[in-house]
Amino acid sequence: MSYNKTASITAETINPKVKIFDYEPCGEIARHAERLEQEMEKSPGSRPFPEITYCNLGNPQALGQRPITFFREVLSLCDNPALLRRDETRMLFSPCAINRARKIIESMPGRNSGAYTNSQGIRSLREAVASGIAARDGFPSRPEDIFLTDGASSAINLSMQILIRSQEDGVLCPLPEYPLYSASIILHGGTMVPYNLSEDGDWGLEIFEVKRCLEEARIAGLTVRAMVIINPGNPTGQVLSITNQEEIVQFCRKEGLVMLADEVYQDNVYVEDRKFHSFKKVARSLGYDENDISIVSFHSVSMGFSGECGRRGGYMEICGFGDDVMGEIRKVASVTLCPNIGGQILTSLAMDPPKLGDGCFENFMAEKEDIRLSLAKRAKTLSSAFSSLEGMTCNKVEGAIYAFPRIHLPAAAIKAAKAEGVSPDMFYACRLLDATGIAVVPGSGFHQVSGRNKATGTCHIRCTILPGEEKIKEMIPRLKEFHESFMNEFRDRS
Ligand SMILES: Cc1ncc(COP(=O)(O)O)c(C=O)c1O
């Protein structure tokens, strides 16, 4: 029997949208780091560093963050309800965790953590999330508006699916951006409308700049439907001031834009003079209700004190959409049947943790504060280390988990990068990795305005603050030594 021997799909015939976007945090540098790691496994001692330090990804537990005991206890019990009938369980697990697990198991379909659930997530877990949001904001939240999701990423993708009809639909996104946004907008066939954050203004958001971008997009024929705001910011580490947030809310309301508020770093705030305020709270405090403004806020168990990014848990809260639209969103959510149960449970625990008076409250708070204080220390240590280097400036890391320093490269380094056919930041990041084993992400991976950078001879790198305090202490001299020799090498030639 004859058959068609040509490949049914090739790189030429694949969906072209797939080929357009890039995702540098898992891109060239990550692959190069893995190659080096394999090489070092085969020939120990072949490199002048003992191991690769993966500062390219925000992967807390891979870099040593300990899971919260209460979370893991409840998860284990939910997965093994038979343990609740054994005497020794009372010795091994806290009464708090046992009580919570019993409650959750009662609400799981078939009392089993392996069942499909409601596509929006188990009702009682959504109630827990809604009550956590209400306690955080001081404004009501309804379980019907909560969608539990497989991490914030799937919620963001779902939002783009709902919003984007064609290439003529635009979504305002910050630059430098978290590249999930451009990837998702491209994959869903829309157009990203970038606006620049102000590095000289502590990576704040200038309304006149957003307005300029919105107007240009409209003149170009786009219908701009939504605006993404990431607060605290990735890769920039800023925490927006409340006045800035108020301006943004007023702007979105006036322009009829859906606010897509990425708030996954809400528990990662390190400075005394800034606090996390959800955009929903800011809008309600200004007196705007669901009829005035549409807000979708995203949160996740990946970051903050949870650090459970491999569990894929998160939620979106949707406010200000009509019942008919909500019905359509539920339909889209049901296409993937349901979010994973472990992620749903964790999300409910993170938003409704032990309270004062609960037996495990003190231990929970101690673990949570330990993580936050240590991250605050690391944020300070790393940003001052970067700032102390010749030709580098680094804004204060107010929140999130990254430093995003700017490097003024010597002209000869830029020329050498060009000769190798790579961008200056990729050139620097590759040299850094080869010399020290420290993997960072070139700033161009966040679509940082390259035209501007080239003109001034500057570029950026993103380095996570997640490696432990000891590891960071040990990393800094290597970083300094490399940077000095890099600058000397190229300064001499320029
Ligand atoms: C700004 C931002 N939004 C969303 C996400 C995705 O988070 P999740 O792991 O919940 O999908 C990340 C992860 O790094 C992020 O940095």
Side-chain angles (χ1 to χ4, degrees), residues 23 58 150-154 156 178 180-181 230-234 262-265 298-303 308-310 312-314 401-402 462:
Y23 195 80
D150 292 320
S153 306
S154 69
I156 292 163
Y178 174 58
L180 161 63
Y181 287 98
I230 307 176
N231 182 49
N234 175 9
D262 186 326
E263 300 179 330
V264 304
Y265 293 104
F298 307 106
H299 191 22
S300 163
V301 296
S302 295
M303 308 301 163
E308 299 272 11
C309 51
R312 315 307 299 130
I401 49 172
Y402 309 98
R462 187 192 76 171

PDB file of all heavy atoms in Angstrom, residues 23 58 150-154 156 178 180-181 230-234 262-265 298-303 308-310 312-314 401-402 462, ligand 1:
ATOM      1  N   TYR A  23      11.034  32.938  24.078  1.00  0.00           N
ATOM      2  CA  TYR A  23      10.833  32.873  25.520  1.00  0.00           C
ATOM      3  C   TYR A  23      12.199  32.648  26.168  1.00  0.00           C
ATOM      4  O   TYR A  23      12.576  31.530  26.487  1.00  0.00           O
ATOM      5  CB  TYR A  23       9.830  31.750  25.858  1.00  0.00           C
ATOM      6  CG  TYR A  23       9.338  31.886  27.271  1.00  0.00           C
ATOM      7  CD1 TYR A  23       8.340  32.806  27.575  1.00  0.00           C
ATOM      8  CD2 TYR A  23       9.894  31.149  28.297  1.00  0.00           C
ATOM      9  CE1 TYR A  23       7.924  32.979  28.878  1.00  0.00           C
ATOM     10  CE2 TYR A  23       9.478  31.315  29.601  1.00  0.00           C
ATOM     11  CZ  TYR A  23       8.492  32.221  29.884  1.00  0.00           C
ATOM     12  OH  TYR A  23       8.081  32.404  31.177  1.00  0.00           O
ATOM     13  N   GLY A  58      12.817  32.112  38.047  1.00  0.00           N
ATOM     14  CA  GLY A  58      12.241  32.309  39.381  1.00  0.00           C
ATOM     15  C   GLY A  58      11.661  30.993  39.855  1.00  0.00           C
ATOM     16  O   GLY A  58      10.455  30.796  39.777  1.00  0.00           O
ATOM     17  N   ASP A 150      -4.482  26.436  36.780  1.00  0.00           N
ATOM     18  CA  ASP A 150      -3.175  25.764  36.846  1.00  0.00           C
ATOM     19  C   ASP A 150      -2.077  26.827  36.786  1.00  0.00           C
ATOM     20  O   ASP A 150      -1.432  27.014  35.748  1.00  0.00           O
ATOM     21  CB  ASP A 150      -3.027  24.774  35.682  1.00  0.00           C
ATOM     22  CG  ASP A 150      -3.977  23.598  35.805  1.00  0.00           C
ATOM     23  OD1 ASP A 150      -4.166  23.089  36.923  1.00  0.00           O
ATOM     24  OD2 ASP A 150      -4.552  23.196  34.779  1.00  0.00           O
ATOM     25  N   GLY A 151      -1.874  27.549  37.847  1.00  0.00           N
ATOM     26  CA  GLY A 151      -0.928  28.652  37.861  1.00  0.00           C
ATOM     27  C   GLY A 151      -1.546  29.881  37.209  1.00  0.00           C
ATOM     28  O   GLY A 151      -2.603  29.792  36.567  1.00  0.00           O
ATOM     29  N   ALA A 152      -0.853  31.019  37.396  1.00  0.00           N
ATOM     30  CA  ALA A 152      -1.365  32.253  36.780  1.00  0.00           C
ATOM     31  C   ALA A 152      -1.260  32.168  35.264  1.00  0.00           C
ATOM     32  O   ALA A 152      -2.062  32.758  34.537  1.00  0.00           O
ATOM     33  CB  ALA A 152      -0.571  33.446  37.305  1.00  0.00           C
ATOM     34  N   SER A 153      -0.280  31.430  34.766  1.00  0.00           N
ATOM     35  CA  SER A 153      -0.062  31.369  33.308  1.00  0.00           C
ATOM     36  C   SER A 153      -1.326  30.932  32.578  1.00  0.00           C
ATOM     37  O   SER A 153      -1.700  31.523  31.560  1.00  0.00           O
ATOM     38  CB  SER A 153       1.055  30.391  32.955  1.00  0.00           C
ATOM     39  OG  SER A 153       2.205  30.702  33.670  1.00  0.00           O
ATOM     40  N   SER A 154      -1.999  29.896  33.107  1.00  0.00           N
ATOM     41  CA  SER A 154      -3.161  29.417  32.367  1.00  0.00           C
ATOM     42  C   SER A 154      -4.299  30.430  32.460  1.00  0.00           C
ATOM     43  O   SER A 154      -5.087  30.579  31.521  1.00  0.00           O
ATOM     44  CB  SER A 154      -3.590  28.017  32.822  1.00  0.00           C
ATOM     45  OG  SER A 154      -4.100  28.080  34.099  1.00  0.00           O
ATOM     46  N   ILE A 156      -3.857  33.683  32.528  1.00  0.00           N
ATOM     47  CA  ILE A 156      -3.484  34.759  31.602  1.00  0.00           C
ATOM     48  C   ILE A 156      -3.809  34.323  30.169  1.00  0.00           C
ATOM     49  O   ILE A 156      -4.396  35.071  29.384  1.00  0.00           O
ATOM     50  CB  ILE A 156      -1.984  35.125  31.794  1.00  0.00           C
ATOM     51  CG1 ILE A 156      -1.783  35.771  33.170  1.00  0.00           C
ATOM     52  CG2 ILE A 156      -1.481  36.043  30.666  1.00  0.00           C
ATOM     53  CD1 ILE A 156      -0.350  35.831  33.673  1.00  0.00           C
ATOM     54  N   TYR A 178       7.218  40.667  31.055  1.00  0.00           N
ATOM     55  CA  TYR A 178       7.326  39.248  31.354  1.00  0.00           C
ATOM     56  C   TYR A 178       6.839  38.541  30.086  1.00  0.00           C
ATOM     57  O   TYR A 178       5.685  38.733  29.677  1.00  0.00           O
ATOM     58  CB  TYR A 178       6.456  38.915  32.578  1.00  0.00           C
ATOM     59  CG  TYR A 178       6.406  37.446  32.872  1.00  0.00           C
ATOM     60  CD1 TYR A 178       7.581  36.740  33.118  1.00  0.00           C
ATOM     61  CD2 TYR A 178       5.213  36.762  32.883  1.00  0.00           C
ATOM     62  CE1 TYR A 178       7.544  35.380  33.371  1.00  0.00           C
ATOM     63  CE2 TYR A 178       5.168  35.404  33.142  1.00  0.00           C
ATOM     64  CZ  TYR A 178       6.345  34.725  33.381  1.00  0.00           C
ATOM     65  OH  TYR A 178       6.305  33.384  33.626  1.00  0.00           O
ATOM     66  N   LEU A 180       5.674  35.940  28.907  1.00  0.00           N
ATOM     67  CA  LEU A 180       4.436  35.171  28.748  1.00  0.00           C
ATOM     68  C   LEU A 180       3.395  36.018  28.009  1.00  0.00           C
ATOM     69  O   LEU A 180       2.608  35.501  27.205  1.00  0.00           O
ATOM     70  CB  LEU A 180       3.900  34.782  30.137  1.00  0.00           C
ATOM     71  CG  LEU A 180       2.431  34.367  30.253  1.00  0.00           C
ATOM     72  CD1 LEU A 180       2.160  33.100  29.458  1.00  0.00           C
ATOM     73  CD2 LEU A 180       2.059  34.132  31.716  1.00  0.00           C
ATOM     74  N   TYR A 181       3.398  37.334  28.266  1.00  0.00           N
ATOM     75  CA  TYR A 181       2.356  38.182  27.677  1.00  0.00           C
ATOM     76  C   TYR A 181       2.487  38.264  26.158  1.00  0.00           C
ATOM     77  O   TYR A 181       1.517  38.028  25.433  1.00  0.00           O
ATOM     78  CB  TYR A 181       2.350  39.570  28.340  1.00  0.00           C
ATOM     79  CG  TYR A 181       1.774  39.463  29.725  1.00  0.00           C
ATOM     80  CD1 TYR A 181       2.592  39.377  30.845  1.00  0.00           C
ATOM     81  CD2 TYR A 181       0.408  39.352  29.900  1.00  0.00           C
ATOM     82  CE1 TYR A 181       2.054  39.213  32.113  1.00  0.00           C
ATOM     83  CE2 TYR A 181      -0.149  39.186  31.156  1.00  0.00           C
ATOM     84  CZ  TYR A 181       0.680  39.120  32.261  1.00  0.00           C
ATOM     85  OH  TYR A 181       0.134  38.938  33.497  1.00  0.00           O
ATOM     86  N   ILE A 230       1.982  44.747  35.876  1.00  0.00           N
ATOM     87  CA  ILE A 230       2.585  43.719  36.745  1.00  0.00           C
ATOM     88  C   ILE A 230       3.099  44.420  37.993  1.00  0.00           C
ATOM     89  O   ILE A 230       3.997  45.262  37.918  1.00  0.00           O
ATOM     90  CB  ILE A 230       3.740  42.988  36.020  1.00  0.00           C
ATOM     91  CG1 ILE A 230       3.272  42.453  34.662  1.00  0.00           C
ATOM     92  CG2 ILE A 230       4.281  41.864  36.890  1.00  0.00           C
ATOM     93  CD1 ILE A 230       4.372  41.794  33.842  1.00  0.00           C
ATOM     94  N   ASN A 231       2.536  44.096  39.119  1.00  0.00           N
ATOM     95  CA  ASN A 231       2.896  44.779  40.359  1.00  0.00           C
ATOM     96  C   ASN A 231       2.828  43.823  41.544  1.00  0.00           C
ATOM     97  O   ASN A 231       1.764  43.272  41.805  1.00  0.00           O
ATOM     98  CB  ASN A 231       1.947  45.954  40.604  1.00  0.00           C
ATOM     99  CG  ASN A 231       2.323  46.726  41.855  1.00  0.00           C
ATOM    100  OD1 ASN A 231       3.482  47.085  42.038  1.00  0.00           O
ATOM    101  ND2 ASN A 231       1.353  46.965  42.724  1.00  0.00           N
ATOM    102  N   PRO A 232       3.952  43.640  42.259  1.00  0.00           N
ATOM    103  CA  PRO A 232       5.328  44.023  41.987  1.00  0.00           C
ATOM    104  C   PRO A 232       5.823  43.466  40.652  1.00  0.00           C
ATOM    105  O   PRO A 232       5.313  42.454  40.182  1.00  0.00           O
ATOM    106  CB  PRO A 232       6.105  43.417  43.156  1.00  0.00           C
ATOM    107  CG  PRO A 232       5.098  43.264  44.254  1.00  0.00           C
ATOM    108  CD  PRO A 232       3.802  42.988  43.579  1.00  0.00           C
ATOM    109  N   GLY A 233       6.826  44.151  40.099  1.00  0.00           N
ATOM    110  CA  GLY A 233       7.180  43.912  38.701  1.00  0.00           C
ATOM    111  C   GLY A 233       8.217  42.835  38.444  1.00  0.00           C
ATOM    112  O   GLY A 233       9.145  42.649  39.211  1.00  0.00           O
ATOM    113  N   ASN A 234       8.007  42.138  37.371  1.00  0.00           N
ATOM    114  CA  ASN A 234       8.997  41.210  36.815  1.00  0.00           C
ATOM    115  C   ASN A 234       9.270  41.697  35.400  1.00  0.00           C
ATOM    116  O   ASN A 234       8.305  41.836  34.646  1.00  0.00           O
ATOM    117  CB  ASN A 234       8.420  39.787  36.785  1.00  0.00           C
ATOM    118  CG  ASN A 234       9.347  38.795  36.107  1.00  0.00           C
ATOM    119  OD1 ASN A 234      10.487  39.110  35.803  1.00  0.00           O
ATOM    120  ND2 ASN A 234       8.851  37.594  35.861  1.00  0.00           N
ATOM    121  N   ASP A 262      -1.542  41.695  37.116  1.00  0.00           N
ATOM    122  CA  ASP A 262      -0.715  40.534  37.465  1.00  0.00           C
ATOM    123  C   ASP A 262      -0.132  40.793  38.850  1.00  0.00           C
ATOM    124  O   ASP A 262       0.768  41.621  39.014  1.00  0.00           O
ATOM    125  CB  ASP A 262       0.383  40.377  36.396  1.00  0.00           C
ATOM    126  CG  ASP A 262       1.193  39.124  36.591  1.00  0.00           C
ATOM    127  OD1 ASP A 262       1.403  38.732  37.752  1.00  0.00           O
ATOM    128  OD2 ASP A 262       1.649  38.547  35.588  1.00  0.00           O
ATOM    129  N   GLU A 263      -0.659  40.076  39.835  1.00  0.00           N
ATOM    130  CA  GLU A 263      -0.288  40.361  41.222  1.00  0.00           C
ATOM    131  C   GLU A 263       0.348  39.140  41.874  1.00  0.00           C
ATOM    132  O   GLU A 263       0.203  38.889  43.074  1.00  0.00           O
ATOM    133  CB  GLU A 263      -1.560  40.852  41.969  1.00  0.00           C
ATOM    134  CG  GLU A 263      -2.088  42.129  41.284  1.00  0.00           C
ATOM    135  CD  GLU A 263      -3.357  42.739  41.863  1.00  0.00           C
ATOM    136  OE1 GLU A 263      -4.189  41.979  42.401  1.00  0.00           O
ATOM    137  OE2 GLU A 263      -3.518  43.968  41.775  1.00  0.00           O
ATOM    138  N   VAL A 264       1.083  38.376  41.039  1.00  0.00           N
ATOM    139  CA  VAL A 264       1.630  37.109  41.559  1.00  0.00           C
ATOM    140  C   VAL A 264       2.740  37.321  42.595  1.00  0.00           C
ATOM    141  O   VAL A 264       3.059  36.409  43.347  1.00  0.00           O
ATOM    142  CB  VAL A 264       2.139  36.155  40.431  1.00  0.00           C
ATOM    143  CG1 VAL A 264       1.064  35.858  39.426  1.00  0.00           C
ATOM    144  CG2 VAL A 264       3.386  36.674  39.751  1.00  0.00           C
ATOM    145  N   TYR A 265       3.316  38.543  42.631  1.00  0.00           N
ATOM    146  CA  TYR A 265       4.379  38.795  43.618  1.00  0.00           C
ATOM    147  C   TYR A 265       3.868  39.590  44.822  1.00  0.00           C
ATOM    148  O   TYR A 265       4.634  40.289  45.472  1.00  0.00           O
ATOM    149  CB  TYR A 265       5.549  39.530  42.946  1.00  0.00           C
ATOM    150  CG  TYR A 265       6.254  38.671  41.923  1.00  0.00           C
ATOM    151  CD1 TYR A 265       6.058  38.882  40.561  1.00  0.00           C
ATOM    152  CD2 TYR A 265       7.087  37.631  42.309  1.00  0.00           C
ATOM    153  CE1 TYR A 265       6.691  38.082  39.612  1.00  0.00           C
ATOM    154  CE2 TYR A 265       7.704  36.823  41.376  1.00  0.00           C
ATOM    155  CZ  TYR A 265       7.509  37.058  40.031  1.00  0.00           C
ATOM    156  OH  TYR A 265       8.134  36.258  39.110  1.00  0.00           O
ATOM    157  N   PHE A 298      -4.657  38.367  38.804  1.00  0.00           N
ATOM    158  CA  PHE A 298      -4.042  37.030  38.773  1.00  0.00           C
ATOM    159  C   PHE A 298      -3.162  36.853  39.999  1.00  0.00           C
ATOM    160  O   PHE A 298      -2.405  37.755  40.370  1.00  0.00           O
ATOM    161  CB  PHE A 298      -3.151  36.872  37.529  1.00  0.00           C
ATOM    162  CG  PHE A 298      -3.856  37.190  36.248  1.00  0.00           C
ATOM    163  CD1 PHE A 298      -3.589  38.372  35.566  1.00  0.00           C
ATOM    164  CD2 PHE A 298      -4.785  36.309  35.708  1.00  0.00           C
ATOM    165  CE1 PHE A 298      -4.242  38.683  34.387  1.00  0.00           C
ATOM    166  CE2 PHE A 298      -5.441  36.604  34.527  1.00  0.00           C
ATOM    167  CZ  PHE A 298      -5.171  37.790  33.855  1.00  0.00           C
ATOM    168  N   HIS A 299      -3.262  35.672  40.580  1.00  0.00           N
ATOM    169  CA  HIS A 299      -2.346  35.348  41.675  1.00  0.00           C
ATOM    170  C   HIS A 299      -1.965  33.873  41.546  1.00  0.00           C
ATOM    171  O   HIS A 299      -2.593  33.125  40.779  1.00  0.00           O
ATOM    172  CB  HIS A 299      -3.005  35.658  43.024  1.00  0.00           C
ATOM    173  CG  HIS A 299      -2.047  35.611  44.180  1.00  0.00           C
ATOM    174  ND1 HIS A 299      -0.688  35.759  44.035  1.00  0.00           N
ATOM    175  CD2 HIS A 299      -2.275  35.418  45.526  1.00  0.00           C
ATOM    176  CE1 HIS A 299      -0.115  35.666  45.222  1.00  0.00           C
ATOM    177  NE2 HIS A 299      -1.045  35.464  46.143  1.00  0.00           N
ATOM    178  N   SER A 300      -0.957  33.495  42.309  1.00  0.00           N
ATOM    179  CA  SER A 300      -0.352  32.189  42.078  1.00  0.00           C
ATOM    180  C   SER A 300       0.280  31.673  43.353  1.00  0.00           C
ATOM    181  O   SER A 300       0.638  32.467  44.232  1.00  0.00           O
ATOM    182  CB  SER A 300       0.727  32.429  41.015  1.00  0.00           C
ATOM    183  OG  SER A 300       1.634  31.386  40.967  1.00  0.00           O
ATOM    184  N   VAL A 301       0.453  30.346  43.444  1.00  0.00           N
ATOM    185  CA  VAL A 301       1.204  29.809  44.588  1.00  0.00           C
ATOM    186  C   VAL A 301       2.682  29.625  44.239  1.00  0.00           C
ATOM    187  O   VAL A 301       3.452  29.085  45.018  1.00  0.00           O
ATOM    188  CB  VAL A 301       0.642  28.453  45.095  1.00  0.00           C
ATOM    189  CG1 VAL A 301      -0.765  28.631  45.619  1.00  0.00           C
ATOM    190  CG2 VAL A 301       0.686  27.383  44.013  1.00  0.00           C
ATOM    191  N   SER A 302       3.064  30.099  43.037  1.00  0.00           N
ATOM    192  CA  SER A 302       4.435  29.852  42.579  1.00  0.00           C
ATOM    193  C   SER A 302       5.472  30.658  43.345  1.00  0.00           C
ATOM    194  O   SER A 302       6.594  30.222  43.525  1.00  0.00           O
ATOM    195  CB  SER A 302       4.557  30.202  41.095  1.00  0.00           C
ATOM    196  OG  SER A 302       3.756  29.346  40.329  1.00  0.00           O
ATOM    197  N   MET A 303       5.120  31.882  43.712  1.00  0.00           N
ATOM    198  CA  MET A 303       6.116  32.790  44.273  1.00  0.00           C
ATOM    199  C   MET A 303       5.810  33.028  45.752  1.00  0.00           C
ATOM    200  O   MET A 303       5.244  32.175  46.402  1.00  0.00           O
ATOM    201  CB  MET A 303       6.110  34.100  43.472  1.00  0.00           C
ATOM    202  CG  MET A 303       6.247  33.884  41.975  1.00  0.00           C
ATOM    203  SD  MET A 303       7.778  33.001  41.581  1.00  0.00           S
ATOM    204  CE  MET A 303       7.444  32.455  39.926  1.00  0.00           C
ATOM    205  N   GLU A 308       5.588  27.287  45.492  1.00  0.00           N
ATOM    206  CA  GLU A 308       5.214  25.948  45.003  1.00  0.00           C
ATOM    207  C   GLU A 308       4.950  25.982  43.496  1.00  0.00           C
ATOM    208  O   GLU A 308       3.886  25.535  43.041  1.00  0.00           O
ATOM    209  CB  GLU A 308       3.962  25.458  45.756  1.00  0.00           C
ATOM    210  CG  GLU A 308       4.141  25.315  47.262  1.00  0.00           C
ATOM    211  CD  GLU A 308       4.682  23.932  47.655  1.00  0.00           C
ATOM    212  OE1 GLU A 308       5.108  23.173  46.769  1.00  0.00           O
ATOM    213  OE2 GLU A 308       4.668  23.644  48.870  1.00  0.00           O
ATOM    214  N   CYS A 309       5.917  26.488  42.718  1.00  0.00           N
ATOM    215  CA  CYS A 309       5.619  26.722  41.295  1.00  0.00           C
ATOM    216  C   CYS A 309       5.372  25.437  40.503  1.00  0.00           C
ATOM    217  O   CYS A 309       4.615  25.445  39.532  1.00  0.00           O
ATOM    218  CB  CYS A 309       6.693  27.585  40.648  1.00  0.00           C
ATOM    219  SG  CYS A 309       8.352  27.022  40.913  1.00  0.00           S
ATOM    220  N   GLY A 310       5.981  24.330  40.946  1.00  0.00           N
ATOM    221  CA  GLY A 310       5.756  23.078  40.220  1.00  0.00           C
ATOM    222  C   GLY A 310       4.369  22.493  40.466  1.00  0.00           C
ATOM    223  O   GLY A 310       3.955  21.569  39.774  1.00  0.00           O
ATOM    224  N   ARG A 312       1.584  24.177  40.203  1.00  0.00           N
ATOM    225  CA  ARG A 312       0.670  24.823  39.276  1.00  0.00           C
ATOM    226  C   ARG A 312      -0.660  25.173  39.922  1.00  0.00           C
ATOM    227  O   ARG A 312      -1.711  24.616  39.591  1.00  0.00           O
ATOM    228  CB  ARG A 312       0.447  23.972  38.001  1.00  0.00           C
ATOM    229  CG  ARG A 312       1.687  23.388  37.370  1.00  0.00           C
ATOM    230  CD  ARG A 312       2.772  24.407  37.074  1.00  0.00           C
ATOM    231  NE  ARG A 312       2.378  25.441  36.148  1.00  0.00           N
ATOM    232  CZ  ARG A 312       2.555  26.754  36.400  1.00  0.00           C
ATOM    233  NH1 ARG A 312       3.100  27.182  37.530  1.00  0.00           N
ATOM    234  NH2 ARG A 312       2.196  27.629  35.516  1.00  0.00           N
ATOM    235  N   GLY A 313      -0.613  26.094  40.833  1.00  0.00           N
ATOM    236  CA  GLY A 313      -1.847  26.578  41.468  1.00  0.00           C
ATOM    237  C   GLY A 313      -1.962  28.079  41.311  1.00  0.00           C
ATOM    238  O   GLY A 313      -0.945  28.794  41.271  1.00  0.00           O
ATOM    239  N   GLY A 314      -3.161  28.573  41.213  1.00  0.00           N
ATOM    240  CA  GLY A 314      -3.368  30.014  41.119  1.00  0.00           C
ATOM    241  C   GLY A 314      -4.841  30.307  40.976  1.00  0.00           C
ATOM    242  O   GLY A 314      -5.676  29.393  40.997  1.00  0.00           O
ATOM    243  N   ILE A 401      11.227  39.024  42.699  1.00  0.00           N
ATOM    244  CA  ILE A 401      12.403  38.204  43.049  1.00  0.00           C
ATOM    245  C   ILE A 401      13.559  38.374  42.077  1.00  0.00           C
ATOM    246  O   ILE A 401      14.319  37.448  41.849  1.00  0.00           O
ATOM    247  CB  ILE A 401      12.005  36.704  43.144  1.00  0.00           C
ATOM    248  CG1 ILE A 401      11.203  36.269  41.908  1.00  0.00           C
ATOM    249  CG2 ILE A 401      11.237  36.409  44.414  1.00  0.00           C
ATOM    250  CD1 ILE A 401      10.935  34.770  41.845  1.00  0.00           C
ATOM    251  N   TYR A 402      13.672  39.584  41.503  1.00  0.00           N
ATOM    252  CA  TYR A 402      14.733  39.775  40.518  1.00  0.00           C
ATOM    253  C   TYR A 402      15.426  41.114  40.692  1.00  0.00           C
ATOM    254  O   TYR A 402      14.790  42.107  41.039  1.00  0.00           O
ATOM    255  CB  TYR A 402      14.157  39.755  39.090  1.00  0.00           C
ATOM    256  CG  TYR A 402      13.297  38.554  38.828  1.00  0.00           C
ATOM    257  CD1 TYR A 402      11.911  38.642  38.915  1.00  0.00           C
ATOM    258  CD2 TYR A 402      13.864  37.315  38.538  1.00  0.00           C
ATOM    259  CE1 TYR A 402      11.108  37.532  38.710  1.00  0.00           C
ATOM    260  CE2 TYR A 402      13.066  36.201  38.336  1.00  0.00           C
ATOM    261  CZ  TYR A 402      11.688  36.317  38.427  1.00  0.00           C
ATOM    262  OH  TYR A 402      10.899  35.221  38.231  1.00  0.00           O
ATOM    263  N   ARG A 462      18.832  40.057  33.858  1.00  0.00           N
ATOM    264  CA  ARG A 462      17.947  39.781  35.005  1.00  0.00           C
ATOM    265  C   ARG A 462      18.542  38.633  35.802  1.00  0.00           C
ATOM    266  O   ARG A 462      18.886  37.593  35.246  1.00  0.00           O
ATOM    267  CB  ARG A 462      16.545  39.405  34.542  1.00  0.00           C
ATOM    268  CG  ARG A 462      15.570  39.282  35.724  1.00  0.00           C
ATOM    269  CD  ARG A 462      14.261  38.635  35.352  1.00  0.00           C
ATOM    270  NE  ARG A 462      14.385  37.191  35.195  1.00  0.00           N
ATOM    271  CZ  ARG A 462      13.356  36.352  35.035  1.00  0.00           C
ATOM    272  NH1 ARG A 462      12.130  36.831  34.981  1.00  0.00           N
ATOM    273  NH2 ARG A 462      13.553  35.057  34.898  1.00  0.00           N
TER     274      ARG A 462
HETATM  275  C1  LIG B   1       4.803  38.318  36.354  1.00  0.00           C
HETATM  276  C2  LIG B   1       4.474  36.874  36.296  1.00  0.00           C
HETATM  277  N1  LIG B   1       3.229  36.504  35.966  1.00  0.00           N
HETATM  278  C3  LIG B   1       2.876  35.214  35.889  1.00  0.00           C
HETATM  279  C4  LIG B   1       3.787  34.221  36.143  1.00  0.00           C
HETATM  280  C5  LIG B   1       3.361  32.795  35.994  1.00  0.00           C
HETATM  281  O1  LIG B   1       3.188  32.202  37.209  1.00  0.00           O
HETATM  282  P1  LIG B   1       2.615  30.727  37.372  1.00  0.00           P
HETATM  283  O2  LIG B   1       3.760  29.873  37.784  1.00  0.00           O
HETATM  284  O3  LIG B   1       1.592  30.863  38.422  1.00  0.00           O
HETATM  285  O4  LIG B   1       2.032  30.302  36.075  1.00  0.00           O
HETATM  286  C6  LIG B   1       5.099  34.540  36.500  1.00  0.00           C
HETATM  287  C7  LIG B   1       6.097  33.500  36.760  1.00  0.00           C
HETATM  288  O5  LIG B   1       7.275  33.739  36.851  1.00  0.00           O
HETATM  289  C8  LIG B   1       5.447  35.913  36.568  1.00  0.00           C
HETATM  290  O6  LIG B   1       6.695  36.292  36.874  1.00  0.00           O
END
